[in-house]
Amino acid sequence: MTDLIIAIVLCVAVAIAYAVAALIQARHAHLTVAQLVRVPVLWLAIGLNGLGAALHVASLNFGPLSLIQPLGVLTLVIAVPLAALTARRKPTRLELTGMTYTVLGLTGLALIITTSGKADTLTSFELIALIIGTVVFVTVLGFLGRRPGASTLWEAVAGGVAFSVCSALCQTLVVTVGDSGADALLWPTTILAMVAVATFAIVATILTQRSYRNGLSAPLAVTNLVNPASATIIGVALLGENLATSNLEIALAVICGLLSGYGVAQLARARDVATTITVPPTPQKDVQPVS
């Protein structure tokens, strides 16, 4: 029970770091990568993302991937009141409703999820296949998102998948080093995993940054839904985790997932409404007749 509490506390800290970073990134999402590197505050966002990633890796020592990843949706729950605070307004009823449904769904998932016990690791074949598959998938979605007039949600999905693969690779690294010692850091597969984590983290950050260019909430919601969903698939399929063991648990998990999804959708809608309300029209100067 102590490990579970520590894992949840770390996940909340991760969500706060990611939420603040997302708000900073959204304000500069219209800039190119070359322009972004010259924006000092963006380095704060990168630092917060790095801190969130470090805390996320630490949380993997205290809980399974399929439990930790769904709690990432808390990023959106925290981002909403932070966005309202920076806009000097109170959260709307729609925002509060969305947060309530999201928290209820996530709490249910956290209580229902069961695992096989000791965290598993990716085999060399699984690790290489996962990296290649991720590169192909993320590249295709990235190109789809760059088409003229394309939805920014393509890049949000790609970013969410890249982040989830980072988590799976981090779990393999943490468990491998924990079982075999620091010498494991020199193994070829371990080096490949570390390079992949760094690469996917950078790619995911750029993709999510671009996805915010037409608004924060919808892309952030999609990223935080895709991230735990794809991570859970990886955990169950490759890391030996067991999501549910009975039909009743499966049914309850589906209901909780629907509640969480509905809550996130409400939060995304509420963010769009709040942006529309809080951005006043540009005042027009009176035109004086020419004498």
Side-chain angles (χ1 to χ4, degrees):
M1 181 60 68
T2 302
D3 285 352
L4 177 62
I5 294 174
I6 294 174
I8 292 175
V9 170
L10 288 173
C11 287
V12 172
V14 169
I16 293 173
Y18 284 155
V20 175
L23 289 175
I24 295 173
Q25 288 179 283
R27 294 180 179 180
H28 302 88
H30 61 286
L31 301 178
T32 64
V33 175
Q35 293 171 325
L36 287 171
V37 297
R38 296 194 294 269
V39 178
V41 73
L42 184 69
W43 292 102
L44 173 60
I46 294 175
L48 288 171
N49 279 322
L51 174 62
L55 293 175
H56 179 80
V57 172
S59 69
L60 293 173
N61 283 317
F62 301 97
L65 185 64
S66 55
L67 168 63
I68 290 170
Q69 285 302 116
L71 294 177
V73 184
L74 287 173
T75 299
L76 186 61
V77 177
I78 295 171
V80 170
L82 281 179
L85 181 63
T86 56
R88 297 182 180 179
R89 62 175 179 81
K90 294 181 179 180
T92 65
R93 178 176 295 183
L94 189 60
E95 290 171 334
L96 295 175
T97 300
M99 285 189 289
T100 299
Y101 278 108
T102 303
V103 170
L104 287 175
L106 288 173
T107 302
L109 286 172
L111 294 174
I112 293 170
I113 289 175
T114 58
T115 67
S116 56
K118 183 180 178 181
D120 202 355
T121 62
L122 296 168
T123 65
S124 297
F125 175 79
E126 290 172 339
L127 187 145
I128 294 172
L130 180 62
I131 291 174
I132 294 175
T134 303
V135 169
V136 173
F137 187 75
V138 170
T139 300
V140 170
L141 291 185
F143 277 115
L144 288 175
R146 293 184 67 87
R147 294 176 302 165
S151 171
T152 60
L153 299 185
W154 290 111
E155 291 156 317
V157 172
V161 170
F163 276 131
S164 69
V165 173
C166 282
S167 298
L169 295 176
C170 283
Q171 175 164 319
T172 291
L173 289 171
V174 169
V175 175
T176 299
V177 173
D179 291 344
S180 304
D183 291 341
L185 293 173
L186 300 178
W187 295 353
T189 53
T190 304
I191 294 174
L192 175 62
M194 289 189 292
V195 172
V197 167
T199 302
F200 288 147
I202 294 172
V203 170
T205 300
I206 294 174
L207 287 169
T208 52
Q209 172 83 28
R210 283 183 50 79
S211 72
Y212 297 151
R213 62 187 181 274
N214 292 335
L216 171 65
S217 293
L220 186 59
V222 169
T223 298
N224 282 278
L225 280 174
V226 171
N227 191 339
S230 54
T232 298
I233 293 173
I234 294 172
V236 173
L238 301 178
L239 297 178
E241 297 183 4
N242 184 21
L243 185 59
T245 57
S246 70
N247 292 332
L248 177 60
E249 288 174 330
I250 292 174
L252 291 175
V254 169
I255 292 173
C256 291
L258 291 174
L259 282 176
S260 180
Y262 177 76
V264 170
Q266 292 294 94
L267 288 171
R269 179 183 164 208
R271 174 60 181 166
D272 295 336
V273 170
T275 301
T276 303
I277 293 174
T278 56
V279 177
T282 303
Q284 301 292 329
K285 295 182 179 179
D286 294 335
V287 178
Q288 300 295 331
V290 178
S291 56

